[in-house]
Amino acid sequence: MENMGYRDEVKLFLGTAAPADAQALVAFAVEKQGVIGDLPAAVAAVAKRVFAAWPAKGKARQSIAHLLENRGGKPQWLILAGLGDGAKLDLNCYRHAAAAACRLCGKYKLSHVCVYSHSAVNSVSAADAAAAIAEGWILAAYRFEELKGTAAAPADKENQLPTQSVRLALAGGAISPAVKNAVRRASVIAQAQNLARTLANRPANIINPPSLAKAAGELARQTPGLRCKVLSEGQLAKLNMNGLLAVGGGSIDTPPRLIVLEYRPAQNKTADPVLLVGKSITFDTGGISIKPADKMGKMIYDKCGGTTVLAIMIAAARLKLPMPLVGLLAAAENHVSHKAYRPGDVLRMHNGVTVEVTNTDAEGRLVLADGLAWGIENYHPRAAVDLATLTGGVIVALGKQIAGVMTRHTELFEQLQKAGQKSGENLWRLPLGEEQREQIKSDAADIVNSAGRDGQPLQGGAFLSYFVDEKLPWAHIDIAGVADTEKDLPQYGKGATGWGVRTLINWLEQLNVKGR
């Protein structure tokens, strides 16, 4: 996927045997039980001996390399990756094991790799195992290095992963259509997730609202079935999208944009679409309610909701999902200038709700509110989901591994939670009721954009509920804790994670196309 400077780090193939030029043979092992899968007899015998001497004995996220032979200076390695406890085997075990093996291949600079998958184990089918391996490997191989310059020391590149040619080898005859389809799907989704990570990792001097709109347009042109249009500040003013305009008003040279992506499959062009809205604050100073300088540079990740929506739209079109979709990226830079909005301002939003600004650093809900109201009015969606790095409070409540979900619709939450469990992305429901809506009532206007520190994430969901018809299945997902990471995780290095791409694609695939 050569899109906007992004390139795939893995070229993935399917086969039934290792290619002759394989530099590494990768197999999986269950904790304390041994190596699994139908390996060639000679490889299986060595793998058994390596496992017996391995201190980790197949523990989750552990891997070990053993030199098989060195032919004329061309070594071939056997790598065992631990799946953990066999009784607890799930798709995440495979993702994490594949990620561990991928990183070990990177350490040894092995670019031609054969990974032995296998038939069903416990409740994990061969197709699901192969797909999870593909996801884990592609996500772990990702690296963001496009901004490295001539001053980068050789030591900085010591552990870089090479672009890899990876063959998933499934022994036992022809590869089934189910496995082929599962691996292709996983590859498309993981590549889209990595694209979201690249766009999110790019700093604000490269990605701002106009340049994000340009990137979305170019990506849409490269993706059959996807259309893009962009509403500029003049059009936004005519639509009374004063929340988006206010937040972006302080950024004089890089004004706000509403980026509209449409995907309508040929077989269901007239069906009601699903609406996805992403907060796309390309940089957030906090405005006049300015943030502390410490870690302000991390505010490049305040656009992660939007980059995730863009990636979902690309993946949906490439997978040819039968569900019509509309994706909105509400893009602005929240800056300080003589045109910046102020605490005390009252904004009349697109749907007529008036908002008293009490904190200019509670800006994400303002851009999302206009996006939701306009999207619902124009597209009459069957369901709507927004994603946003909205509040630090959700991190206090749920930490860095769980996203908070606010919705009036239990069935929708259960669908999203199930999709998240399959993808390895965890969600937790937070309350959204009249108590929270009452908390943000204003004396001067209808509502305030912030009512203080108490229940921060809940205030965000309550605020957005004023812009969504209560009968419409809608969920607000606060991804502030999961959108980026400051430490290495099993599948991710430091930086943006692209969280939500897999969960939302899983959810969309389960929806009844014609029903509400």
Side-chain angles (χ1 to χ4, degrees):
M1 187 191 294
E2 291 281 352
N3 288 323
M4 299 304 298
Y6 167 76
R7 65 183 180 88
D8 297 335
E9 306 296 345
V10 175
K11 304 300 180 185
L12 190 64
F13 306 94
L14 284 174
T16 56
D21 62 347
Q23 298 169 311
L25 307 178
V26 178
F28 297 95
V30 174
E31 186 175 0
K32 298 179 181 178
Q33 294 181 26
V35 179
I36 59 175
D38 298 324
L39 278 63
V43 176
V46 176
K48 185 176 181 180
R49 293 197 300 271
V50 173
F51 182 85
W54 184 15
K57 289 286 191 299
K59 286 185 178 180
R61 306 178 188 178
Q62 302 295 312
S63 59
I64 187 172
H66 173 79
L67 183 62
L68 283 174
E69 58 179 309
N70 196 328
R71 297 167 292 181
K74 295 182 179 179
Q76 185 180 63
W77 295 82
L78 171 66
I79 292 176
L80 300 185
L83 291 166
D85 187 346
K88 299 177 181 178
L89 202 61
D90 61 14
L91 297 182
N92 248 9
C93 296
Y94 284 94
R95 293 187 187 103
H96 294 168
C102 174
R103 291 202 171 94
L104 194 53
C105 287
K107 179 179 179 180
Y108 289 98
K109 294 182 168 50
L110 306 174
S111 59
H112 290 77
V113 180
C114 176
V115 182
Y116 289 103
S117 191
H118 51 75
S119 304
V121 175
N122 295 352
S123 60
V124 179
S125 69
D128 285 345
I133 291 166
E135 283 181 356
W137 200 287
I138 292 170
L139 294 173
Y142 172 84
R143 59 192 188 268
F144 183 71
E145 296 172 346
E146 64 186 32
L147 302 181
K148 295 286 187 182
T150 57
D156 294 338
K157 300 181 179 181
E158 182 177 345
N159 292 320
Q160 288 179 3
L161 301 177
T163 299
Q164 295 173 319
S165 172
V166 177
R167 175 176 291 193
L168 268 175
L170 291 93
I175 300 170
S176 73
V179 169
K180 290 180 181 179
N181 291 336
V183 170
R184 177 188 174 274
R185 172 188 175 277
S187 179
V188 167
I189 295 170
Q191 288 169 359
Q193 185 172 345
N194 283 348
L195 174 61
R197 295 164 76 184
T198 291
L199 292 171
N201 283 330
R202 288 175 178 166
N205 63 321
I206 296 174
I207 292 288
N208 53 53
S211 64
L212 180 59
K214 180 180 178 182
E218 292 186 14
L219 287 164
R221 284 190 288 275
Q222 296 169 12
T223 307
L226 195 59
R227 296 177 54 196
C228 179
K229 63 181 179 181
V230 179
L231 303 185
S232 62
E233 63 268 36
Q235 294 165 298
L236 297 175
K238 290 179 181 178
L239 293 168
N240 293 318
M241 299 184 78
N242 294 311
L244 185 51
L245 286 166
V247 173
S251 183
I252 300 168
D253 295 326
T254 53
R257 295 287 185 265
L258 184 68
I259 302 163
V260 184
L261 295 156
E262 298 180 357
Y263 166 68
R264 291 192 177 274
Q267 67 271 39
N268 284 300
K269 283 187 175 181
T270 60
D272 293 337
V274 171
L275 176 67
L276 305 175
V277 184
K279 175 187 173 184
S280 307
I281 302 296
T282 56
F283 192 76
D284 182 19
T285 67
I288 289 175
S289 307
I290 196 164
K291 294 177 180 292
D294 182 44
K295 295 187 178 180
M296 190 190 286
K298 299 297 183 182
M299 288 300 102
I300 64 171
Y301 299 122
D302 219 11
K303 60 183 179 290
C304 284
T307 57
T308 290
V309 168
L310 176 54
I312 292 167
M313 297 298 294
I314 291 169
R318 291 188 67 193
L319 293 171
K320 298 182 180 180
L321 296 190
M323 175 65 62
L325 302 175
V326 174
L328 303 181
L329 281 66
E333 284 191 308
N334 189 19
H335 273 298
V336 183
S337 75
H338 67 286
K339 291 192 174 183
Y341 75 131
R342 300 151 292 238
D345 286 358
V346 174
L347 310 175
R348 186 174 297 275
M349 308 292 282
H350 175 75
N351 68 344
V353 171
T354 58
V355 177
E356 177 189 358
V357 177
T358 53
N359 186 338
T360 63
D361 195 25
E363 85 297 330
R365 63 203 67 184
L366 294 172
V367 304
L368 283 174
D370 272 341
L372 279 166
W374 182 83
I376 291 167
E377 177 186 285
N378 282 271
Y379 290 99
H380 310 289
R382 57 175 291 177
V385 173
D386 72 78
L387 296 102
T389 49
L390 207 71
T391 66
V394 81
I395 305 175
V396 175
L398 300 177
K400 298 281 288 182
Q401 299 293 320
I402 305 173
V405 182
M406 281 141 275
T407 180
R408 303 182 184 101
H409 299 270
T410 297
E411 182 180 1
L412 174 57
F413 171 73
E414 290 173 348
Q415 292 171 351
L416 291 169
Q417 186 179 46
K418 182 179 178 181
Q421 288 170 345
K422 182 178 179 182
S423 70
E425 297 179 329
N426 297 317
L427 303 96
W428 191 262
R429 188 175 185 179
L430 298 171
L432 174 59
E434 287 307 313
E435 298 87 351
Q436 289 76 41
R437 285 167 58 90
E438 190 67 28
Q439 183 183 1
I440 61 170
K441 289 291 182 65
S442 167
D443 292 331
D446 295 333
I447 53 177
V448 297
N449 75 324
S450 176
R453 294 175 59 86
D454 293 349
Q456 275 187 345
L458 313 186
Q459 290 182 44
F463 182 94
L464 294 174
S465 72
Y466 281 88
F467 302 88
V468 180
D469 188 295
E470 64 180 21
K471 295 180 181 178
L472 176 69
W474 157 72
H476 160 61
I477 307 180
D478 192 333
I479 61 172
V482 295
D484 68 280
T485 177
E486 295 182 355
K487 64 179 182 179
D488 289 336
L489 298 176
Q491 295 161 194
Y492 310 123
K494 296 175 183 177
T497 64
W499 194 101
V501 175
R502 300 199 310 278
T503 291
L504 270 296
I505 290 291
N506 284 340
W507 171 63
L508 290 167
E509 287 176 329
Q510 300 307 309
L511 291 180
N512 177 356
V513 175
K514 297 182 180 179
R516 272 192 176 272

